[in-house]
């Protein structure tokens, strides 16, 4: 079974803090994704990566950056957290030749 | 960008009844996927239907696709309490990007 793990289930940070969310997958998938999920808005793509050190902006990249130094690990960075970044953050991975995405359990981030 | 729209937004039925959820989308697609999300957790892939398919089954799940109407439906037969979850459709905008609907919240009453 594919396993995608995220570093924290719940996180509380203060406005202005730098926040790191980590995601690790164990199936050697080429593609990895970061989404945020807000009520009534579905999933919105922040960034994705199709290879080590490669990244592409999604629909809402502003205020976020990512890092993929190893194939299995994809990090999301909030450079200076703001209250409007309070949300559920979901990481997913995908084999390059397939359509199905595998998700981690999510990190519920609260910025106060 | 938001493409899929699920309908209804919420659905509450008795255990044992069938549940039907609909998804509409805006542009041409290669395939459409349905995912389930249990309360406050990650999503799990349920089923994928390709644009050249009209119907697909997986256990108690039946998915239909009407490309002329740009719509899909997910039918869960003989519902169980464990089916209580939110259900999302996702269409492919590119090889990398899925476009997600806002989801249907399904509650199965015992």
């Amino acid at each position: 079974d594919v396993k995608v793990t995220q570093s924290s289930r719940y996180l509380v940070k203060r406005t202005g803090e730098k926040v790191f969310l980590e995601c690790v997958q164990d199936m050697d998938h080429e593609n990895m994704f970061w989404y945020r999920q807000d009520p009534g808005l579905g999933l919105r793509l922040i960034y994705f990566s199709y290879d080590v050190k490669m990244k592409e902006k999604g629909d809402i990249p502003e205020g976020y950056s990512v890092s993929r130094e190893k194939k299995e690990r994809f990090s999301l960075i909030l450079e200076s957290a703001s209250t409007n970044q309070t949300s559920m953050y979901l990481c997913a991975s995908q084999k390059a030749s397939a359509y199905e995405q595998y998700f981690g359990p999510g990190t519920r981030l609260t910025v106060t | 960008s938001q493409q899929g729209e699920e309908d209804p937004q919420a659905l509450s039925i008795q255990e044992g009844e069938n549940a039907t959820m609909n998804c509409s989308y805006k542009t041409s697609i290669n395939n459409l996927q349905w995912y389930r999300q249990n309360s406050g957790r990650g999503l799990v892939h349920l089923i994928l239907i390709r644009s050249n398919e009209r119907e697909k089954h997986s256990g108690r799940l039946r998915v239909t696709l009407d490309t002329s109407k740009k719509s899909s439906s997910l039918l869960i037969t003989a519902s169980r309490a464990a089916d209580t979850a939110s259900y999302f459709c996702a269409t492919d905008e590119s090889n990398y990007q899925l476009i997600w609907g806002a989801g249907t919240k399904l509650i199965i009453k015992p």
Side-chain angles (χ1 to χ4, degrees):
Chain A
D1 274 355
V2 177
K3 194 166 183 184
V4 180
T5 57
Q6 295 184 227
S7 49
S8 306
R9 287 298 316 277
Y10 300 93
L11 209 52
V12 180
K13 295 292 181 180
R14 294 195 180 278
T15 301
E17 279 192 85
K18 192 167 186 175
V19 182
F20 293 88
L21 302 181
E22 297 240 299
C23 175
V24 178
Q25 51 96 2
D26 66 357
M27 283 302 291
D28 203 36
H29 284 175
E30 293 82 6
N31 301 337
M32 296 188 75
F33 306 81
W34 275 106
Y35 295 93
R36 66 175 282 175
Q37 183 180 26
D38 300 288
L41 294 179
L43 275 71
R44 292 181 292 168
L45 182 64
I46 304 171
Y47 269 97
F48 66 95
S49 169
Y50 52 89
D51 201 352
V52 174
K53 296 191 187 297
M54 305 304 289
K55 60 185 179 184
E56 292 285 341
K57 292 180 180 179
D59 296 322
I60 51 165
E62 296 79 20
Y64 303 95
S65 61
V66 290
S67 172
R68 193 162 181 206
E69 297 297 317
K70 293 185 178 181
K71 191 174 185 179
E72 68 270 18
R73 191 178 297 267
F74 192 34
S75 301
L76 179 70
I77 302 143
L78 286 66
E79 296 289 343
S80 177
S82 63
T83 54
N84 62 13
Q85 293 178 310
T86 290
S87 187
M88 170 73 99
Y89 289 88
L90 295 169
C91 173
S93 73
Q94 178 192 45
K95 191 169 177 58
S97 58
Y99 293 105
E100 178 181 350
Q101 293 188 10
Y102 295 84
F103 283 81
T107 295
R108 190 167 293 281
L109 173 68
T110 302
V111 182
T112 61
Chain B
S1 53
Q2 202 81 15
Q3 162 146 262
E5 271 187 35
E6 285 92 344
D7 165 49
Q9 290 186 347
L11 180 62
S12 180
I13 61 173
Q14 293 293 139
E15 193 168 15
E17 292 180 342
N18 296 342
T20 299
M21 288 157 272
N22 303 297
C23 169
S24 59
Y25 57 91
K26 295 173 185 168
T27 63
S28 297
I29 61 171
N30 294 311
N31 60 72
L32 184 145
Q33 302 179 57
W34 285 91
Y35 287 77
R36 181 187 71 222
Q37 183 180 35
N38 292 100
S39 179
R41 301 194 68 89
L43 283 80
V44 174
H45 180 263
L46 295 176
I47 195 165
L48 178 150
I49 187 165
R50 299 184 189 280
S51 60
N52 61 355
E53 296 175 309
R54 291 297 165 257
E55 188 170 313
K56 201 162 181 181
H57 296 254
S58 176
R60 294 185 296 113
L61 304 181
R62 175 181 164 240
V63 170
T64 62
L65 179 65
D66 186 335
T67 52
S68 67
K69 294 181 179 178
K70 292 187 169 58
S71 68
S72 173
S73 67
L74 171 67
L75 168 67
I76 303 173
T77 59
S79 62
R80 305 168 181 169
D83 295 328
T84 293
S86 292
Y87 292 82
F88 295 85
C89 68
T91 55
D92 61 320
E93 180 167 281
S94 71
N95 285 341
Y96 300 121
Q97 282 198 253
L98 292 179
I99 307 300
W100 297 84
T104 291
K105 189 169 184 177
L106 175 64
I107 296 171
I108 308 298
K109 296 180 287 186

